[in-house]
Amino acid sequence: MTTYPAPRERHESELSLAQLCGDGARMAPHWVSPVSPAPAPVSPSLIHGVVIPAASARLIAATAEYGG
């Protein structure tokens, strides 16, 4: 059975990147989020119970940016 591709028609709902950027810029003022206070810092002595698997620790230690 032979199939022939149909020509692609431009639908009204298909927008260009420039149109999407413009729409986003116009809508941005409507998406104002309330300012929340910054979380208070936590003392390192209060952080406990975190378990890191040995394989993950080795992976991070072997990464040049973090360990070696």
Side-chain angles (χ1 to χ4, degrees), residues 4-68:
Y4 298 97
R8 183 177 166 102
E9 295 180 19
R10 183 174 171 89
H11 296 286
E12 187 176 326
S13 64
E14 293 181 18
L15 301 173
S16 70
L17 181 58
Q19 289 171 315
L20 289 174
C21 289
D23 289 345
R26 283 189 299 278
M27 294 175 69
H30 300 286
W31 297 333
V32 178
S33 61
V35 177
S36 59
V42 176
S43 170
S45 64
L46 296 176
I47 301 173
H48 54 80
V50 177
V51 178
I52 300 172
S56 296
R58 284 192 303 270
L59 176 68
I60 295 298
T63 304
E65 295 176 8
Y66 298 106

